[in-house]
Amino acid sequence: MCGIVGYVGTRKVVPVLLAGLRRLEYRGYDSAGIVYNHQNRLVRHRASGKLSELEAVLDDHIGVESSIGLGHTRWATHGAPTELNAHPHSDCTGDLVVVHNGIIENYSSLREALKQKGHTFCSETDTEVLAHLIEEHLIDDLAAATRAALAQVEGSYALAVLWAKDPETIVAARRQSPLVLGTDAEACYLASDIPALLPYTREVVFLDDGELAVLGKGQYSIRQLADGSEVHKESTTIDWTATMAEKGGHRHFMLKEIYEQPIAIRSTINGRIMPETGRILLPGLGISDEVLTGIKRIVLVACGTSWHAALVAKYWLEKWTAIPVEVDIASEFRYRHLLLHEQVLTLVISQSGETADTLAGMRRAAQFGSPVLAICNAVGSTMAREADGILYTHAGPEISVASTKAFTCQLTTLFLFTLYLAQLRQSIDPAVQKELGLQLIQLADVMSALIKPMQKNMQAIIESYYEARDFLFIGRGLNYPIALEGALKLKETSYIHAEGYAGGELKHGPIALIDADMPLLALAPQDSSYPKTISNVQEIKARQARLIVVGSEGDSQLAELSRHHIFLPKVHEELNPILYALPVQLLAYEIAARRGCDVDQPRNLAKSVTVE
Ligand code: AGP
């Protein structure tokens, strides 16, 4: 939800800002803009549409002599994605500009009050009030004026301010939206997310809620917004590299990230399973074994794809630890009447660690004394820092809006956590645990051998189905959430209307949709639900649906029943959801690419949803 970059140093600023925005474009791509200080004057360029539109406008300004500036890529909340509504937004004089990610909730009363005082507004955005409000307080100290203005503001923000009359300073602040500083000897960088900093530095400082930073050439200071007191923070060295956030020869990030899954899963498992014994080690978990042993209930909270990972984990956790599990969509959980206490573990799952609803959910759970464990991919994210315990997924940076490798790494981590809890509570036979652990280790190799041939063999299916208007997915048990995930992947990347159902639910309504035009993909591995799934497949075939099955290698019965089949090697049935995620991801990718869709940046979406 909007990406912010800032730079003050010795380099020419325009290329630094554009490179940063390029890496943050996944956060919003309705419009973009930059501002830099040139000879004590602020020069602003904005364009509606994708970043390439702004780049075209900036063709003649790449080499401009300026080494301080801000950039923004927008996901519209207030006001259409026009050039006038694009950030940066300026005060009345044009000497002060603001870029912002978040929502100013009291903007309309502030705007009215500022208009009364003679301020003129040019956009429909909530952000513009920030520029005028800071202008109202500004005498000669930009940081003090920003602090005073923010004291009047309700809502969420990560923001950065530039003032023509202070040409070597950027002021930034955050409340409920992410912001990270990058540092080196000669410069300071600012970004909504780490990938924007990676080409320049891996030394980062995470800004916390209620903090304000003043950035200069190679130096910065941080203060509390509330009382102005100084905050001393250690920097963190990030182990992601710049190339990890590039396409590496693939046509889209989504495809690259699908291909990266075996490596990402290996990194997620690395050092967490002892191959000789199958024991699980989760050092630095942050929640003691004693607390975990006393847990009476687990509540899983997440959004979107991460919620699908939670649905799979319910099956695993209940089966192997015998602890009752609830799964909640974060936007529902945060407003629900909660029955939580110290012996209920709240487990939040998020790739970004910044999703507003999930964050709010975890904060509410903490108010009840529930220990909170976060499963996150983004290092140093708000969730990772605020939770009592953290398990990182080690998928590396995920850029495509459609989540793929983060999902299978979430599943891997949830499976590891299940085994860890089962081991602690002695609810699993050690021999079974060892077998499951070893199979999980081998799974990455199975996937690695599979992706390329699967992509190739899928082409006939893509040609038959890429023009479909609707698509159904079914699965049972552990594969039901994968049916939901397949439908979500397809709809978000290709805009085909798609729904996922539990196989047994079909005859309670959705079967009415089936006719000879309806494509239906059935997940049908030879697992314990297989006989029931076959009955569903028969029912579907009897109604002439265009049936694709994804099943176990050599299943001739399935091959006969379906028009198309994708066969996968047999693995332990507990691991099927990780393996069966692959074909539904690839199918969605290939169909979207065949339809000429903007695969990595689907319309109306943004990678991390930092507003409610
Ligand atoms: C996944 O493909 C989606 N784009 C989306 O559902 C995503 O999983 C959801 O917004 C949650 O994000 P998070 O994992 O960063 O919290």
Side-chain angles (χ1 to χ4, degrees):
M1 299 269 127
C2 299
I4 290 178
V5 288
Y7 174 76
V8 47
T10 51
R11 296 168 190 260
K12 289 186 175 161
V13 72
V14 176
V16 178
L17 296 177
L18 286 178
L21 289 179
R22 185 49 77 211
R23 284 162 180 265
L24 294 183
E25 202 182 6
Y26 68 84
R27 299 179 65 84
Y29 31 83
D30 291 336
S31 57
I34 65 159
V35 64
Y36 51 84
N37 188 318
H38 185 53
Q39 298 170 348
N40 293 332
R41 228 172 36 84
L42 296 186
V43 181
R44 198 164 46 137
H45 298 277
R46 300 180 294 172
S48 67
K50 294 233 171 184
L51 185 60
S52 50
E53 304 293 327
L54 178 71
E55 284 169 334
V57 171
L58 284 169
D59 250 4
D60 297 335
H61 305 268
I62 295 292
V64 74
E65 288 299 334
S66 170
S67 48
I68 180 167
L70 303 173
H72 186 271
T73 175
R74 180 169 185 245
W75 186 85
T77 57
H78 295 61
T82 59
E83 188 183 328
L84 270 187
N85 287 332
H87 299 218
H89 288 288
S90 150
D91 70 346
C92 296
T93 65
D95 282 344
L96 183 145
V97 293
V98 175
V99 290
H100 165 227
N101 168 28
I103 292 180
I104 306 302
E105 285 163 6
N106 59 339
Y107 88 101
S108 87
S109 58
L110 288 171
R111 188 174 163 119
E112 275 322 300
L114 286 160
K115 274 185 175 171
Q116 297 289 325
K117 289 187 172 171
H119 290 263
T120 312
F121 283 79
C122 305
S123 77
E124 304 157 292
T125 65
D126 53 336
T127 301
E128 196 182 348
V129 298
L130 293 171
H132 293 278
L133 202 56
I134 299 170
E135 177 188 13
E136 194 59 29
H137 288 280
L138 186 57
I139 301 168
D140 56 4
D141 182 341
L142 184 61
T146 306
R147 258 190 68 212
L150 291 178
Q152 293 173 254
V153 164
E154 287 161 23
S156 58
Y157 49 77
L159 59 86
V161 194
L162 204 60
W163 186 30
K165 294 184 181 150
D166 191 352
E168 295 200 352
T169 303
I170 294 173
V171 172
R174 84 158 262 182
R175 182 169 185 252
Q176 292 170 18
S177 293
L179 210 49
V180 55
L181 317 185
T183 60
D184 65 27
E186 296 182 329
C188 271
Y189 307 79
L190 184 70
S192 301
D193 197 2
I194 292 167
L197 306 175
L198 293 176
Y200 310 105
T201 180
R202 289 203 262 150
E203 281 305 303
V204 305
V205 178
F206 296 102
L207 221 56
D208 280 305
D209 275 353
E211 289 178 350
L212 173 141
V214 179
L215 282 65
K217 286 186 180 169
Q219 60 191 28
Y220 66 90
S221 62
I222 300 176
R223 297 184 175 279
Q224 290 290 354
L225 273 169
D227 59 11
S229 59
E230 203 155 335
V231 181
H232 294 283
K233 296 194 129 174
E234 296 292 315
S235 66
T236 306
T237 310
I238 299 297
D239 61 4
W240 292 358
T241 63
T243 43
M244 285 167 95
E246 280 156 16
K247 280 189 204 153
H250 289 279
R251 209 172 136 205
H252 296 102
F253 278 112
M254 183 176 174
L255 188 60
K256 177 196 174 222
E257 288 159 6
I258 288 173
Y259 268 86
E260 279 175 345
Q261 289 180 105
I263 291 180
I265 288 172
R266 276 187 209 111
S267 314
T268 300
I269 296 172
N270 193 14
R272 289 170 164 173
I273 304 178
M274 290 172 74
E276 310 76 33
T277 58
R279 277 192 78 73
I280 306 295
L281 309 170
L282 297 178
L285 186 67
I287 298 182
S288 70
D289 287 354
E290 203 188 338
V291 169
L292 290 176
T293 312
I295 289 300
K296 301 269 181 283
R297 186 158 47 98
I298 300 175
V299 181
L300 299 172
V301 181
C303 299
T305 287
S306 299
W307 175 65
H308 296 156
L311 291 173
V312 173
K314 177 179 166 72
Y315 289 84
W316 285 334
L317 283 162
E318 290 188 334
K319 176 169 178 183
W320 298 106
T321 71
I323 304 173
V325 175
E326 290 164 27
V327 183
D328 241 312
I329 291 175
S331 54
E332 292 297 315
F333 177 82
R334 64 181 290 189
Y335 294 115
R336 206 156 59 73
H337 182 76
L338 297 179
L339 300 173
L340 303 178
H341 51 75
E342 293 80 358
Q343 287 181 305
V344 180
L345 176 71
T346 301
L347 211 168
V348 292
I349 307 165
S350 174
Q351 186 286 129
S352 61
E354 302 291 348
T355 300
D357 285 322
T358 313
L359 258 175
M362 78 173 247
R363 287 173 182 152
R364 260 207 87 201
Q367 285 167 1
F368 289 83
S370 167
V372 178
L373 177 64
I375 291 185
C376 287
N377 192 44
V379 182
S381 57
T382 309
M383 240 173 263
R385 284 176 298 132
E386 283 191 21
D388 301 308
I390 170 73
L391 272 175
Y392 279 117
T393 45
H394 302 302
E398 189 180 68
I399 309 293
S400 173
V401 166
S403 183
T404 52
K405 63 174 180 170
F407 176 62
T408 45
C409 287
Q410 285 169 346
L411 291 176
T412 305
T413 309
L414 285 159
F415 193 66
L416 286 169
F417 180 66
T418 302
L419 293 183
Y420 183 72
L421 217 52
Q423 164 186 300
L424 263 185
R425 300 165 73 100
Q426 298 176 355
S427 55
I428 190 169
D429 175 342
V432 174
Q433 177 179 331
K434 183 176 175 188
E435 176 60 16
L436 287 169
L438 291 180
Q439 291 240 7
L440 182 64
I441 293 173
Q442 286 157 14
L443 187 67
D445 296 336
V446 174
M447 289 171 84
S448 182
L450 203 66
I451 307 179
K452 206 164 187 175
M454 187 192 291
Q455 188 187 10
K456 193 163 162 252
N457 295 336
M458 206 180 254
Q459 293 314 312
I461 300 181
I462 304 307
E463 282 311 309
S464 304
Y465 295 90
Y466 80 95
E467 287 177 309
R469 279 189 42 213
D470 305 280
F471 230 105
L472 299 180
F473 290 75
I474 62 160
R476 278 180 172 262
L478 284 163
N479 291 302
Y480 160 48
I482 304 306
L484 296 177
E485 176 61 5
L488 175 63
K489 279 300 81 96
L490 187 66
K491 72 183 101 168
E492 71 179 328
T493 56
S494 71
Y495 317 139
I496 294 175
H497 166 244
E499 302 296 338
Y501 292 103
E505 195 57 17
L506 263 192
K507 53 175 86 67
H508 298 284
I511 203 163
L513 295 169
I514 296 180
D515 61 16
D517 289 330
M518 179 63 85
L520 188 146
L521 184 145
L523 297 161
Q526 287 173 334
D527 60 7
S528 37
S529 325
Y530 181 70
K532 304 283 173 205
T533 310
I534 284 292
S535 305
N536 292 138
V537 167
Q538 299 275 15
E539 290 154 11
I540 295 156
K541 184 174 165 67
R543 285 154 184 90
Q544 275 110 39
R546 301 162 71 195
L547 182 63
I548 308 168
V549 292
V550 184
S552 308
E553 230 157 39
D555 188 336
S556 51
Q557 186 185 6
L558 264 191
E560 240 169 69
L561 284 170
S562 57
R563 281 200 206 177
H564 293 98
H565 63 262
I566 300 168
F567 282 162
L568 304 180
K570 279 190 199 153
V571 297
H572 196 294
E573 78 169 82
E574 295 296 302
L575 302 179
N576 274 337
I578 308 178
L579 185 65
Y580 279 64
L582 253 184
V584 299
Q585 293 169 344
L586 258 181
L587 181 91
Y589 169 77
E590 288 292 335
I591 288 184
R594 181 69 180 83
R595 287 164 73 97
C597 294
D598 194 343
V599 177
D600 288 330
Q601 296 173 345
R603 68 187 179 206
N604 305 335
L605 292 176
K607 181 73 179 162
S608 57
V609 183
T610 55
V611 293
E612 198 182 335

